[in-house]
Amino acid sequence: MILDKNFLQNSAFNKAEYNYSQDDLSAGIIHIGVGNFHRSHQAYLLDSLFNQRKDLNYGIIGAGLREYDTFMRDDLLKQDCLTTLVQRDENTTNTRVLQSMIDFIEVDNNLLVESLCNENIKIVSLTITEGGYYIDSYGNFNIQNEEIQADINNPDNPKTAFGILIKALKIRKEKGLNPFTLLTCDNIAHNGNVLRNVMVKMSQQIDADLSEYIASNVSCPNSMVDRITPTATKEDIAFIQSEYGYIDNRPVFSEPFIQWIIEDNFCNGRPALEEVGVMFVDDIEPYELMKIRMLNGSHAAISSVSALLDIDYVHEALENETVKTFLDSIINKEVIPVLKDIVTDINLDEYYNTVITRFANPYIKDTITRICFDNSNKQPKFIIDSIKDGIKNNVNVDGLILACALWCRYSIGTDENGKELDINDARKDKLKDLALEAKDNPIVFIQFDEIYGTLSQNTYFSETFTKFLNSIWENGVENTVKNYNKQ
């Protein structure tokens, strides 16, 4: 039997735990970029709030802009936008069907603009990945990008998320409707500020008055999100059918841990998510920096070395002594010493232990391929920024630089046994060309200024990177990492 509204209402599955249904909800949020993480995180927390019979006017409508979004939409509509979420670790398995999404807009930009102009929509949230904000390695908005320029020159027929949002805000302004809050849920430092900068600078090129209106009236709160959510497998789908007797073609599996911290800055109301554990704060910077450098940074640090050592899962990487020691050295010797003077009200050693415990959860089956995804956008934020701060604070960052050299070797696309690596990165062809050239001239790779900026001009960084990359080619990946671990 396929999961749908009738099945949920008529089955005994978790029936006592459902205090609301989709029919009780009305739309208040449009979410652009409906993936696994959104459903395990925002959709789950809203479901928890709705189950308390609170703020039922904040139901979610899904939206997408890309062709691949049509597949998610089709699958979810077949099951009435319901999602099975399974939270599990070595001790517990908790399963719930989430009902917080009530519709999914057809992948049509005009329909999306029309929906955004509904006065009941008070929040537009986004998970469009780090690469979706058109920012370069310096953190600047690349307004010259072809897609951005196309929207600036043709604002009535926008294709990007930002062009669509600008058009919708213009219509709402003209109709005298309150603007919506723009809430990004992507892993970017100061993500709300980044989003605001894109919106203001892009709209300046379209309509100066509208740009001023957006800058003055539209809230873009910074937020920090956290929940490990791997891609569901065929085995996961089979698990749902075997354990619960129905088919969900888009289930989500996650760890039990969840965190969402948001600056309390909403221009048109918000749901009372503090009732279900969300933290609303005045300044998010210490929290997001800790998470980006220690959690996302840990993923980035072990991604390439694990792939090159033919390790399939994150929990297996933590079981590998070479990888685990490498990560411990980076975080304890190179990351925490910089953060301790910035994050003063949190025990960073305890936080790192929590990170390691979460990574070691064998039931998540978080793949190395997933944490390698889009590495060219992750490296600047999760690794290179730590290197820059370490150098500035006279902290030895050899391990972080070794992570860069390992990423260079990974970018060739094969491991040391010739096995092809599954590289999913928009820059993979350019990176491969540079990585191949770097075999004889290492400095070439770090002169890719879209990634490294001017860092290659730092003698310590360039010499250390060269030393490690030469060692990888001469002595192999594992021996190079082991030698670093002995330091």
Side-chain angles (χ1 to χ4, degrees):
M1 179 175 290
I2 299 277
L3 172 65
D4 60 17
K5 188 184 299 185
N6 289 331
F7 171 81
L8 187 62
Q9 290 175 347
N10 296 322
S11 74
F13 176 70
N14 276 355
K15 195 161 188 175
E17 298 181 11
Y18 289 90
N19 298 320
Y20 84 103
S21 71
Q22 286 175 314
D23 294 336
D24 298 322
L25 301 178
S26 59
I29 298 173
I30 289 179
H31 183 83
I32 300 174
V34 179
N36 294 328
F37 178 76
H38 160 70
R39 292 182 294 145
S40 79
H41 191 264
Q42 181 182 352
Y44 165 75
L45 288 166
L46 282 163
D47 176 84
S48 300
L49 182 63
F50 299 154
N51 209 47
Q52 296 182 16
R53 304 289 306 175
K54 294 180 179 179
D55 291 329
L56 299 176
N57 59 324
Y58 281 95
I60 303 169
I61 295 180
L65 307 178
R66 307 296 184 185
E67 183 179 354
Y68 56 76
D69 291 312
T70 61
F71 303 112
M72 176 70 78
R73 177 181 184 271
D74 290 346
D75 285 343
L76 287 180
L77 287 180
K78 288 175 184 175
Q79 53 195 57
D80 294 325
C81 293
L82 300 175
T83 288
T84 306
L85 172 64
V86 180
Q87 307 165 74
R88 60 183 177 182
D89 59 17
E90 61 272 21
N91 299 314
T92 60
T93 297
N94 293 317
T95 303
R96 181 173 176 83
V97 176
L98 308 180
Q99 305 178 84
S100 50
M101 180 180 288
I102 56 177
D103 200 1
F104 201 130
I105 302 166
E106 186 177 343
V107 182
D108 180 304
N109 294 348
N110 291 324
L111 289 176
L112 177 53
V113 169
E114 181 180 338
S115 298
L116 290 167
C117 294
N118 182 333
E119 65 178 328
N120 295 320
I121 299 301
K122 300 183 182 303
I123 296 172
V124 178
S125 53
L126 304 95
T127 46
I128 55 177
T129 77
E130 295 89 343
Y133 292 81
Y134 301 91
I135 51 178
D136 60 24
S137 59
Y138 302 97
N140 299 319
F141 172 42
N142 181 13
I143 200 167
Q144 298 303 321
N145 179 276
E146 290 183 6
E147 293 180 345
I148 295 297
Q149 283 295 311
D151 276 7
I152 289 172
N153 293 319
N154 190 14
D156 291 329
N157 187 29
K159 305 296 184 184
T160 70
F162 310 112
I164 289 167
L165 292 169
I166 289 169
K167 181 179 178 181
L169 285 166
K170 180 179 181 180
I171 295 172
R172 288 179 75 117
K173 176 177 179 287
E174 291 170 348
K175 289 184 174 182
L177 303 177
N178 290 330
F180 40 67
T181 294
L182 286 172
L183 179 60
T184 169
C185 302
D186 284 302
N187 278 319
I188 303 173
H190 312 299
N191 55 11
N193 295 344
V194 169
L195 176 55
R196 169 181 292 279
N197 184 55
V198 172
M199 292 291 294
V200 170
K201 288 189 173 179
M202 187 172 171
S203 60
Q204 280 175 344
Q205 302 298 310
I206 297 171
D207 181 332
D209 290 339
L210 177 62
S211 180
E212 184 177 345
Y213 170 81
I214 290 172
S216 301
N217 295 279
V218 178
S219 296
C220 300
N222 292 306
S223 71
M224 190 193 92
V225 298
D226 193 3
R227 178 169 248 193
I228 298 172
T229 308
T231 302
T233 65
K234 292 180 180 178
E235 290 75 19
D236 291 330
I237 294 173
F239 171 84
I240 297 292
Q241 186 172 11
S242 173
E243 290 294 314
Y244 305 112
Y246 65 88
I247 297 171
D248 183 339
N249 287 313
R250 290 287 184 168
V252 179
F253 286 70
S254 77
E255 62 175 339
F257 180 90
I258 188 168
Q259 189 174 53
W260 197 5
I261 306 176
I262 312 172
E263 289 179 348
D264 200 355
N265 175 25
F266 290 73
C267 59
N268 196 5
R270 66 167 176 82
L273 287 164
E274 64 270 23
E275 299 286 339
V276 291
V278 176
M279 287 180 60
F280 288 94
V281 298
D282 294 327
D283 181 11
I284 205 170
E285 183 172 4
Y287 304 97
E288 70 175 8
L289 191 63
M290 175 188 70
K291 188 250 181 178
I292 285 171
R293 297 283 177 88
M294 295 183 67
L295 186 136
N296 301 117
S298 292
H299 268 157
I302 67 172
S303 60
S304 297
V305 63
S306 299
L308 289 165
L309 294 178
D310 198 24
I311 298 171
D312 293 325
Y313 295 100
V314 172
H315 72 272
E316 293 174 343
L318 271 292
E319 294 168 357
N320 182 291
E321 183 178 354
T322 301
V323 176
K324 176 63 163 55
T325 303
F326 178 52
L327 179 59
D328 286 345
S329 296
I330 287 175
I331 299 299
N332 292 321
K333 297 178 182 178
E334 304 180 17
V335 176
I336 288 179
V338 174
L339 286 179
K340 67 181 181 181
D341 293 328
I342 302 171
V343 185
T344 58
D345 62 341
I346 297 174
N347 186 313
L348 297 178
D349 294 322
E350 290 181 2
Y351 181 77
Y352 179 56
N353 288 335
T354 299
V355 169
I356 291 300
T357 300
R358 294 167 62 196
F359 282 10
N361 182 351
Y363 291 88
I364 292 300
K365 294 185 178 179
D366 196 9
T367 66
I368 298 301
T369 297
R370 187 194 75 85
I371 67 170
C372 287
F373 172 76
D374 202 26
N375 243 336
S376 67
N377 279 303
K378 294 175 179 177
Q379 289 280 324
K381 305 170 189 69
F382 304 154
I383 297 293
I384 297 168
D385 280 352
S386 285
I387 291 173
K388 291 176 180 176
D389 278 357
I391 291 173
K392 184 166 60 177
N393 288 277
N394 296 314
V395 172
N396 181 295
V397 287
D398 281 12
L400 289 163
I401 298 174
L402 174 53
C404 293
L406 290 161
W407 180 46
C408 175
R409 174 62 185 84
Y410 164 85
S411 296
I412 287 176
T414 57
D415 67 14
E416 292 174 313
N417 296 316
K419 179 182 176 181
E420 187 172 345
L421 301 172
D422 183 12
I423 297 181
N424 191 340
D425 193 304
R427 296 184 175 104
K428 71 176 183 179
D429 292 336
K430 173 71 171 178
L431 290 167
K432 180 177 181 179
D433 290 342
L434 292 173
L436 288 168
E437 189 176 350
K439 184 176 181 181
D440 298 317
N441 184 18
I443 199 75
V444 169
F445 191 80
I446 57 175
Q447 287 175 335
F448 189 12
D449 60 7
E450 286 184 30
I451 306 296
Y452 290 98
T454 60
L455 196 54
S456 65
Q457 298 172 22
N458 180 275
T459 302
Y460 162 59
F461 175 75
S462 60
E463 289 181 352
T464 306
F465 177 88
T466 298
K467 176 188 71 175
F468 281 135
L469 188 60
N470 286 339
S471 176
I472 288 169
W473 284 112
E474 293 169 8
N475 305 311
V477 169
E478 187 161 15
N479 287 334
T480 299
V481 177
K482 283 183 175 179
N483 287 335
Y484 161 78
N485 290 343
K486 293 175 183 177
Q487 296 180 10

